[in-house]
Amino acid sequence: MPANKYALLRYQIIDKMIGNKYNPFPTKEDLRNACEEQLYGEDSGRISDSTIEKDLWAMRNESLLGYNAPIRYSKLEKGYYYDPKNFTISKISLNDEEIEAIKLAVNTLDQFKEIDVFKDFQFAINKIADRINLTEDINDSSIRKFMEFDRVPQVDGTEHLSGLLEAIKKRRSITVTYKKFKDDAVERVYQLDPYLLKEFRHRWYLIAYDAEKEYFKTFGVGRIIAVEQTKTRYKINSYFDADRFFKNCYGITTIKDDDPNEIKLSVTPDQARYILSMPMHHSQKVVKRNDKEVVISIFVRVTWELIMDILAMGSNVKVISPAGVKNTVKKILKDSLNNY
C-alpha cells in the first residue's frame, strides 16, 4: 500500500484516539502504539515518534487535507485533545453558503424520491448529510417555505430504470418487449444494445442500437413491458455521441436519414420575450425584429415535439417556412376548429 494511504489510515486512527471520550488525552506513545497495532498487528517498531508528530502537524495545518484539526496538548493531562471536543475529521467542514447549497440540492432531488433508481442516490445524500452534520432534517422547511418545486408525476416504466441503467453500465445487450404508441395491443420484441437513458418533460426514454435495423432508436420507457438482460457484452459503437446524436433534434425524437431544416417562425413581441429568455433550441437566431413581430430561426429535424410546441403558442406564432411544417400546422388547426 502506498505511503500516502498509510498516512490517511493513521489520521483516522489518531482521530478516533483523540476523540475517544472513554480514554481521553492519549499520549504520543499511545497514538504510535495504536497505529502500529491496527496497521501491522504485533509487528511493532515500524512507526517512529517523528512520524506521529508529522501526522499531527498535517492534520492541523495541511490545506490539501482540509481537516484544520483543532488538536491541542494538555500539559496537565500530558496528552492530546480536541477543542472543541466534538470535532472529528469524519465531519466535513462547510461554510453557511455551502450548507445551504447542499440543502437546496437535496430538496431538488427529493422530487425524484419515489422513483426506484434514485433511492440509492437518496441514501447517498443522507450519508453526506450525516457526515457534514447539517441538521436532523436536511429537507429544511425554510427552503420549502420560499421555493416550490414542480413535482414529478408518477409515470409508467420507472420500475425498469434500474435494470436498464445496470445494462448500460455493464454494456450488456437486452431483450425488450415493447408496445406501440398508437396501438397498445400490438407488442414487439427487440434485441437492443442500450446506450443512454434520457429524461424529457418528466418522461424517460432509452436510446439504444437496433442491430436488425442498424441504427439508433428512441424508446419510451413507459411503453416497455419487460426487459431481460442477456449475457452478451456489446462493443461500443464509436459513432454514438449523445451531444452529436441530439444536436439537431427537437425534443426526444430522432429520425434516421432525415436532414435538419431551417424553421422560421414569426412571433408576437410578447411571445418573443418568452422565447428569447428561454430559447426553443441552441441553434435559435433572431432573423428580424420590429414593433410588430420577431422572426426567429432554428435548425432542427422536424419532429412531433416541434409541431406541438408551435401549436402551444396559439395565435402568437406564424410558421414562415418550410412549407411542410406550415401545412402540417394549418391542417391541425383546421381539424381542431371542426371539433367545435
Side-chain angles (χ1 to χ4, degrees):
M1 182 182 291
N4 63 333
K5 290 190 176 181
Y6 274 118
L8 293 174
L9 290 174
R10 290 197 305 271
Y11 301 156
Q12 294 290 335
I13 296 169
I14 291 170
D15 175 67
K16 290 179 181 178
M17 289 286 292
I18 295 177
N20 187 352
K21 63 181 179 179
Y22 300 107
N23 190 19
F25 303 104
T27 64
K28 189 185 305 178
E29 184 178 0
D30 292 334
L31 298 177
R32 181 175 58 79
N33 289 337
C35 288
E36 287 184 339
E37 181 179 348
Q38 294 189 44
L39 292 176
Y40 306 109
E42 296 179 358
D43 188 9
S44 61
R46 300 186 63 175
I47 298 176
S48 64
D49 286 346
S50 63
T51 296
I52 298 300
E53 290 172 359
K54 291 176 182 177
D55 289 344
L56 291 170
W57 185 92
M59 292 173 69
R60 289 187 184 111
N61 304 294
E62 182 55 66
S63 60
L64 290 178
L65 289 173
Y67 298 153
N68 298 318
I71 301 173
R72 308 286 184 261
Y73 181 78
S74 171
K75 293 182 179 179
L76 178 64
E77 301 291 345
K78 295 182 170 39
Y80 296 93
Y81 67 100
Y82 280 137
D83 182 20
K85 294 181 179 180
N86 64 347
F87 178 86
T88 172
I89 65 174
S90 295
K91 302 286 185 184
I92 302 172
S93 178
L94 298 173
N95 59 38
D96 290 343
E97 287 186 3
E98 292 168 328
I99 290 174
E100 288 303 312
I102 290 177
K103 287 181 180 180
L104 178 59
V106 171
N107 276 273
T108 303
L109 288 174
D110 185 59
Q111 62 183 311
F112 297 104
K113 66 183 179 181
E114 300 302 325
I115 301 178
D116 288 343
V117 74
F118 291 106
K119 288 183 178 177
D120 289 342
F121 297 165
Q122 188 69 32
F123 178 71
I125 289 294
N126 289 339
K127 286 180 66 177
I128 293 173
D130 179 63
R131 290 290 298 277
I132 62 178
N133 196 24
L134 287 176
T135 61
E136 291 186 3
D137 181 13
I138 193 169
N139 293 308
D140 196 330
S141 60
S142 65
I143 291 178
R144 293 185 178 278
K145 182 178 179 180
F146 301 112
M147 299 184 71
E148 182 67 30
F149 295 96
D150 186 17
R151 306 304 295 181
V152 177
Q154 187 67 31
V155 295
D156 294 337
T158 55
E159 68 274 14
H160 299 308
L161 290 177
S162 295
L164 292 170
L165 183 59
E166 181 184 9
I168 293 171
K169 288 180 177 179
K170 292 182 177 180
R171 299 300 180 189
R172 300 282 187 184
S173 298
I174 57 175
T175 300
V176 171
T177 304
Y178 193 75
K179 58 184 178 182
K180 290 190 173 183
F181 178 73
K182 293 184 178 180
D183 190 349
D184 287 348
V186 178
E187 297 180 4
R188 181 174 174 183
V189 177
Y190 292 88
Q191 301 296 324
L192 304 172
D193 297 338
Y195 274 72
L196 179 72
L197 283 170
K198 184 176 177 66
E199 186 267 342
F200 179 71
R201 294 178 180 174
H202 301 325
R203 294 184 182 274
W204 287 94
Y205 298 85
L206 170 69
I207 314 303
Y209 182 74
D210 185 337
E212 181 183 346
K213 299 294 184 180
E214 296 185 338
Y215 69 94
F216 286 89
K217 296 176 65 174
T218 302
F219 297 85
V221 174
R223 298 195 293 277
I224 293 177
I225 299 172
V227 178
E228 183 179 349
Q229 187 177 146
T230 71
K231 295 181 179 180
T232 304
R233 283 180 59 87
Y234 63 87
K235 184 178 180 180
I236 298 176
N237 190 320
S238 59
Y239 166 79
F240 181 81
D241 175 82
D243 291 336
R244 183 174 65 237
F245 188 73
F246 289 103
K247 180 180 179 180
N248 297 121
C249 291
Y250 191 93
I252 196 68
T253 306
T254 56
I255 305 171
K256 183 184 179 185
D257 299 329
D258 184 17
D259 293 330
N261 291 268
E262 182 182 30
I263 314 296
K264 284 188 178 181
L265 304 174
S266 170
V267 297
T268 62
D270 286 341
Q271 185 68 39
R273 292 188 187 94
Y274 180 80
I275 293 178
L276 295 178
S277 65
M278 185 176 290
M280 296 179 67
H281 190 259
H282 63 79
S283 65
Q284 178 175 304
K285 296 179 181 178
V286 175
V287 177
K288 184 174 74 171
R289 175 187 249 165
N290 55 45
D291 293 340
K292 296 182 179 180
E293 67 172 352
V294 175
V295 177
I296 65 166
S297 73
I298 55 176
F299 192 68
V300 296
R301 292 183 175 90
V302 178
T303 62
W304 181 243
E305 292 96 330
L306 172 65
I307 301 300
M308 291 295 291
D309 280 358
I310 292 174
L311 290 169
M313 289 186 260
S315 60
N316 291 317
V317 64
K318 179 178 69 176
V319 179
I320 298 175
S321 64
V325 176
K326 181 191 294 186
N327 293 334
T328 298
V329 171
K330 187 186 299 185
K331 182 179 185 306
I332 294 174
L333 291 174
K334 286 182 177 179
D335 290 344
S336 296
L337 285 175
N338 290 335
N339 291 330
Y340 297 92

